[in-house]
Amino acid sequence: MDTTCSIHTTFLNRQLHGGLCPATKHTSLITTDKRRTGSGRPVLCSLVTPKTMNTRTLIERKVPREVSMPAKFGMFGGNFVPETLITSLKKLEAEFIYALQDTEFQEELATALRDYVGRETPLYFAQGLTNYYKNKDGEGAEIYLKREDLNHCGAHKMNNAVAQTMIAKRMGLKSVVAATGAGQHGVATAAACAKLSLSCTVFMGSDDMEKQSSNVLLMNLFGAQVKPVEGGFKEASSEAIREWASNLETSYYLTGTAVGPHPCPSMVCEFQSVIGKETRRQAMEKWGGKPDVLIACIGSGSNAMGLFHEFIEDEDVRLIGVEAAGFGLDSGKHAATLSEGEVGVYHGAMSYLLEDEEGQIIRPHSIAVGLEYPGVSPQLSFLKDTERAEFYSATDKEAVDAYLRLCRLEGIIPSLEAAHALAFLDKLCPNLPNATKIIVNCSGRGDKDAGMVLDHKLT
């Protein structure tokens, strides 16, 4: 168990409902991996296993050993969980590392991403949006969209879901447990489980089920059991972890968010990093260089880290995350964790959190259900503290306006989550040099949000 900070670790009380852990200074445990990147890029996703370690033997013997996988990023991340979960997390870590080095797994995953998920996704030049932001002299930034909305099931979530269900299958587990907010991860997990003949249980907040009823229908069509939980995504996540913790020998907890105890954030980041890898190659093909600015919405951080990770070492590329300001940062009803949060421990890891003076978790708010999480990726927390990435926010109204703008200028329906990233163009574009190359991660499609957007405009 991680003991760098003294906290009460009763699983169902403090870890699942929020615990305060004071921010303390730690020696950075982040490593660099010149073997994988050739450049010494900080390892926020990819991992290394010593050549002397036989992880297949490790899995078969069910005896966890240490591996050279960073569990923490600066002070963030870690395993703030009870001892009963450590063995299962170690097994998962070992299987993950083995899969990354296993040619058969990599070939199977590449085939699934191409033929099932539909990769690669286009890097689309948004001519209408580009023209909209030109100044009176006809100059302005060039805006591109990374079209993750075109993935099977309509979001970036499938990249991770299909990979992790493959790992669950390799581990001999028959049951997958997940939690979802906007429903995109739930739909992706349900579809991937159907593909691999795994049973699937998805926990979802009752409020979110009402808002995202179309996604609930899709999960049911894929054969998943959708269990309502009073509250929102954070309550659903807690319930999913409880379910997994009570069935460790038979179930697999499939997280779609880049949060939770190690190795969960690293797994999500690794499987989403295909977004940034494609983006680098596509940018080189289109204009012979790198993008100048990358923008992604921030909920827990899966789509942002998927886009950002490939470019972390490229300090001439700006990384911009846009959180949900809800009704405004001063209203107290927002989900701007990195902008307004404090360091603490939640769901098994240290990161920035929305919490009150007593360390209790504050319920977040956003019109985009997928951004309503009170914590954030430990990797993004690290990027904030090292000032490698910039973080801003957009209100509900700004996101709705951006949603409608993309619909009407490009004929593309973004999710309300992705619309937060698009909304920041209003503030960013007027201050950029002519022909600046901007890439916005259109992380999901917004059919699910159309009714909510129209209702919002009518009120």
Side-chain angles (χ1 to χ4, degrees):
M1 181 181 295
D2 195 320
T3 57
T4 57
C5 195
S6 177
I7 62 169
H8 181 55
T9 57
T10 301
F11 187 54
L12 299 183
N13 293 329
R14 297 290 283 170
Q15 291 292 64
L16 291 182
H17 296 296
L20 178 65
C21 183
T24 56
K25 294 183 179 179
H26 304 279
T27 301
S28 176
L29 299 181
I30 194 167
T31 64
T32 58
D33 177 8
K34 295 184 179 179
R35 284 176 287 177
R36 285 183 65 91
T37 66
S39 59
R41 178 180 300 131
V43 178
L44 296 186
C45 300
S46 303
L47 320 167
V48 187
T49 310
K51 293 181 179 179
T52 57
M53 178 180 176
N54 185 332
T55 52
R56 173 51 63 188
T57 301
L58 166 64
I59 298 298
E60 292 171 350
R61 292 180 181 176
K62 300 180 181 179
V63 179
R65 289 177 55 186
E66 292 299 320
V67 294
S68 60
M69 178 185 195
K72 301 187 75 175
F73 312 96
M75 75 171 79
F76 303 106
N79 271 351
F80 293 87
V81 297
E83 295 291 346
T84 53
L85 296 183
I86 293 295
T87 298
S88 293
L89 290 169
K90 287 288 187 182
K91 289 178 184 177
L92 176 61
E93 176 184 14
E95 187 65 59
F96 173 44
I97 292 172
Y98 184 80
L100 291 182
Q101 301 176 90
D102 181 25
T103 302
E104 182 180 349
F105 176 86
Q106 293 299 327
E107 291 176 350
E108 183 182 351
L109 178 58
T111 299
L113 289 174
R114 183 190 67 228
D115 298 341
Y116 185 69
V117 180
R119 305 206 71 89
E120 65 181 35
T121 58
L123 183 60
Y124 168 77
F125 177 54
Q127 182 70 69
L129 206 58
T130 295
N131 290 340
Y132 177 84
Y133 285 108
K134 285 183 178 179
N135 61 25
K136 61 182 180 180
D137 298 320
E139 296 181 341
E142 297 176 9
I143 302 168
Y144 292 78
L145 305 180
K146 182 57 175 164
R147 295 293 307 277
E148 291 301 294
D149 56 305
L150 296 179
N151 280 335
H152 177 44
C153 294
H156 74 289
K157 294 294 188 181
M158 184 59 81
N159 303 325
N160 170 69
V162 73
Q164 286 211 50
T165 50
M166 287 169 56
I167 287 180
K169 191 89 168 180
R170 286 163 63 95
M171 295 177 72
L173 301 172
K174 305 295 184 183
S175 174
V176 169
V177 178
T180 192
Q184 297 292 67
H185 173 60
V187 170
T189 300
C193 285
K195 180 180 185 296
L196 295 179
S197 301
L198 299 171
S199 69
C200 179
T201 302
V202 179
F203 290 89
M204 190 172 186
S206 54
D207 297 344
D208 299 339
M209 289 180 70
E210 183 177 348
K211 295 175 185 176
Q212 306 290 335
S213 58
S214 62
N215 279 338
V216 175
L217 174 61
L218 291 176
M219 285 183 268
N220 287 327
L221 286 173
F222 289 132
Q225 182 181 10
V226 184
K227 292 189 175 182
V229 178
E230 185 176 352
F233 178 55
K234 74 182 185 70
E235 288 82 11
S237 296
S238 297
E239 202 60 41
I241 295 172
R242 288 191 189 95
E243 177 74 12
W244 170 62
S246 64
N247 297 281
L248 293 174
E249 296 301 317
T250 59
S251 66
Y252 183 98
Y253 175 55
L254 202 163
T255 178
T257 56
V259 297
H262 173 72
C264 296
S266 292
M267 292 180 71
V268 173
C269 179
E270 175 67 27
F271 293 135
Q272 293 293 359
S273 66
V274 64
I275 302 171
K277 292 170 184 174
E278 286 181 4
T279 298
R280 180 185 289 276
R281 183 173 64 254
Q282 291 168 326
M284 185 61 65
E285 291 171 354
K286 285 184 178 293
W287 62 79
K290 296 177 290 187
D292 298 303
V293 184
L294 300 175
I295 309 177
C297 66
I298 302 288
S300 67
S302 61
N303 92 93
M305 282 307 303
L307 181 64
F308 292 170
H309 182 259
E310 177 68 15
F311 296 91
I312 288 172
E313 193 182 57
D314 299 293
E315 295 189 1
D316 54 339
V317 178
R318 290 177 67 183
L319 310 179
I320 296 178
V322 185
E323 298 184 293
F327 294 130
L329 297 182
D330 294 334
S331 71
K333 294 184 178 181
H334 59 78
T337 306
L338 289 164
S339 301
E340 298 293 313
E342 302 290 340
V343 175
V345 171
Y346 190 59
H347 285 162
M350 182 180 287
S351 71
Y352 279 92
L353 303 173
L354 294 177
E355 57 188 6
D356 62 23
E357 294 179 354
E358 296 180 352
Q360 297 303 305
I361 295 301
I362 298 172
R363 183 169 183 175
H365 163 78
S366 172
I367 192 171
V369 175
L371 303 186
E372 287 186 319
Y373 186 73
V376 72
S377 156
Q379 292 101 320
L380 287 175
S381 297
F382 179 79
L383 292 179
K384 170 185 166 68
D385 273 17
T386 57
E387 299 183 349
R388 175 60 189 94
E390 309 164 42
F391 299 99
Y392 304 95
S393 61
T395 65
D396 289 351
K397 182 182 184 305
E398 290 168 336
V400 168
D401 289 345
Y403 177 105
L404 291 170
R405 186 178 302 122
L406 194 68
C407 288
R408 292 166 183 176
L409 293 179
E410 298 291 347
I412 295 172
I413 308 172
S415 65
L416 273 171
E417 290 79 18
H420 282 71
L422 292 161
F424 189 66
L425 293 172
D426 272 4
K427 299 173 183 175
L428 179 67
C429 288
N431 301 308
L432 294 177
N434 185 46
T436 297
K437 303 294 192 298
I438 301 174
I439 296 177
V440 181
N441 195 8
C442 189
S443 56
R445 72 171 185 248
D447 312 50
K448 65 184 180 64
D449 300 318
M452 195 183 315
V453 168
L454 293 175
D455 288 344
H456 189 274
K457 293 302 292 184
L458 292 173
T459 56

